[in-house]
Structures are given as structure tokens and as C-alpha cells.
Amino acid sequence: VLALGNVTDFRGTAGLHEHALPFKNLADSIVIRNQVIDVLESAACEEDPALKQKLLTFVVGGGGFSGTEVVAEVNDLVHKLSKQYPSIHHEDIRVVLVHSKERLMERELSESLSRYAEKLLKKRGVEIRFGAHLSSATPEEAILDTGERICAKTIISTVPSSPNPLIETLPLPLEKGKIVTDAGMQVKEHPEIWAIGDCAAIPNLEGKGICPPTAQFAIREAKVLAHNIAASLLGRKKKEFRFKALGMMGALGHHSAVAELFGKFKFSGIC
């Protein structure tokens, strides 16, 4: 059973691996929190205006769920903690979100909800750069593919994840870097091999394309896979994986969120 999941993919983005903070797990969030505290304390006693501005500028690359949520939380945290430092004023803080698409969470939510999220973040002071990639970074700057360079000491990258590089080395059928399986998670042309989760291209029988790399799918895939392995060994009938997504929710800070449930119910506001 191949269940190698996803990894953060920095290929083709020079400098991000060295100078940008990743955001993929709990440990990453703790590192980001500590970085915010560190730069605020440094800025509080910094007399050079240019350096102080760099310390108080925060750039987040990626406007999917991860990028939108992290920029909202960072914006909240920075403004909340800055109140403890008399030398730091609200207008000194700059938070920038860089997104390659034309709206936030474009693949996950409807346009009305993504526009609501955009409006709310802008109201809270977040600058949004649509149609731009965070292409590189240095210890002093975030560099966009539009040519814009943003001076900042804190750069956070939520670059898209990709299947574990080990997958590319295997002589198996691939689709967008993922192992192609049937609806029962058995690898095509290799009945002795199974694949599951983020590294597998499992047909989405209740939707379009392949199953998305989310926990609500992976947890249920595991149960069907376990059944199918046992059925294969015992000569019994295997199951096809069928699951309709329950919905998606994005946190926007200040106890605000957007959510879309069962593909038809849309919510926004206090959570």
C-alpha cells in the first residue's frame, strides 16, 4: 500500500526554501508565531525607520485555504500583540497576501463567498495582490513574478503541495504526479499494489475528476481500502469508493469564517 502523502514543493522557486517559512503542520504554525513575536520585539526598539518597516511587514504567498487562513490569523496576531508596544502604531503594520488567481480560495468556494472573504480581509487592512506569484525570496525581500519587490523580514509560503518525490521514481501509471488507481484504490495493471490519500489519483464517483487531497476523503478511503484488501485475499467482492464532500470552511480571523456545505448551503459571518 502506497500512502506517502504530499510534501511542500519548492522546485522552481529559488530562495523560498531558504528564506520563507512553510505552513503545512502544527510545528510550522508555532515557528510563525514565534517569528511574529520576535520581529515585533525587535521593531519596538528599532530607531532606523527603513528597518522598522521591514520588521513590521508580513508577506504571505498563496490565496488558497491555507494562505487565506494564515494571513487572517497573522494579521490578527500582529495587531493584537502590537498594542503592548507603545512605539508601534497601527499604521506601521503591513500585511500582504500574494495570490496568482483572480479571487481567493477559487477552487474551493463559490465566488460570492470568496469575494466576501476578500472584502473582509481588506477591511482589516490586508493588502491583496491578485494575478501574482511569490516567485523568490531573500532575507530582506519577497520577490513577485510581476517584478514587484516587497521589503519584509517575515515571508510565509503556502506553495502548492505535490506527491512525495519517491512516487516519480516508481514504474507506475501517473496522472499529475499521482498514482492512477481504479475506484477501489487498486493500481491499474498492478493488482498487487494499492494507493491511497494525497499520492493517489482515485476517481471521484460522486463528483468530478479525482478525489481531492483532504482529510474527510482520506479517512473514508482507508476504510474502503482495508475492506478491499481483505476481500482480495478472501476472494470476496470489492467495494468502489464513493463519497460526497460534506463541505469546506475557511477561518478569516476575529471569529469570522466562510463555509459551503453539501455544495449548496453557503454561510458567512461569526463562527
Side-chain angles (χ1 to χ4, degrees), residues 104-237:
L104 302 176
M105 301 174 284
E106 185 176 81
R107 291 186 299 176
E108 298 92 348
L109 294 178
S110 63
E111 183 169 0
S112 62
L113 289 179
S114 63
R115 294 300 180 194
Y116 172 86
E118 174 190 343
K119 182 179 178 181
L120 192 63
L121 290 176
K122 286 182 175 179
K123 182 179 179 181
R124 292 175 180 164
V126 176
E127 300 175 32
I128 303 178
R129 300 284 194 278
F130 286 115
H133 280 95
L134 177 60
S135 61
S136 185
T138 73
E140 307 288 330
E141 292 180 318
I143 303 170
L144 313 190
D145 61 356
T146 58
E148 182 180 2
R149 305 172 81 96
I150 304 173
C151 294
K153 285 288 189 179
T154 304
I155 302 168
I156 302 167
S157 176
T158 61
V159 295
S161 298
S162 65
N164 192 299
L166 178 60
I167 297 297
E168 299 175 0
T169 68
L170 302 178
L172 300 175
L174 302 179
E175 178 183 337
K176 297 181 179 179
K178 298 185 176 186
I179 302 168
V180 178
T181 74
D182 60 19
M185 286 161 281
Q186 204 162 19
V187 178
K188 292 186 177 181
E189 303 175 6
H190 295 273
E192 76 283 7
I193 301 176
W194 311 74
I196 186 175
D198 297 356
C199 71
I202 304 167
N204 187 358
L205 301 182
E206 295 292 337
K208 297 180 181 179
I210 62 176
C211 293
T214 60
Q216 60 180 298
F217 274 83
I219 290 170
R220 292 164 176 84
E221 288 166 5
K223 293 181 179 180
V224 176
L225 176 59
H227 169 88
N228 285 347
I229 291 175
S232 179
L233 294 172
L234 298 173
R236 297 175 181 172
K237 184 178 180 180

Side-chain angles (χ1 to χ4, degrees), residues 1-39:
V1 177
L2 298 171
L4 294 169
N6 276 346
V7 297
T8 302
D9 188 359
F10 284 108
R11 289 175 295 184
T13 52
L16 289 187
H17 180 67
E18 296 84 1
H19 306 299
L21 302 173
F23 182 69
K24 187 173 176 62
N25 52 42
L26 180 60
D28 292 338
S29 67
I30 294 173
V31 171
I32 292 171
R33 181 200 62 184
N34 292 343
Q35 169 71 7
V36 169
I37 295 171
D38 185 49
V39 294

Side-chain angles (χ1 to χ4, degrees), residues 14-84:
L16 289 187
H17 180 67
E18 296 84 1
H19 306 299
L21 302 173
F23 182 69
K24 187 173 176 62
N25 52 42
L26 180 60
D28 292 338
S29 67
I30 294 173
V31 171
I32 292 171
R33 181 200 62 184
N34 292 343
Q35 169 71 7
V36 169
I37 295 171
D38 185 49
V39 294
L40 283 174
E41 291 185 344
S42 298
C45 56
E46 181 56 56
E47 296 182 357
D48 181 354
L51 180 53
K52 185 175 182 178
Q53 182 62 69
K54 283 183 185 179
L55 289 166
L56 295 176
T57 299
F58 304 83
V59 178
V60 177
F65 259 110
S66 294
T68 302
E69 290 186 330
V70 75
V71 79
E73 293 299 331
V74 166
N75 191 54
D76 277 4
L77 180 61
V78 172
H79 283 93
K80 178 181 178 181
L81 294 180
S82 66
K83 295 177 182 177
Q84 301 176 28

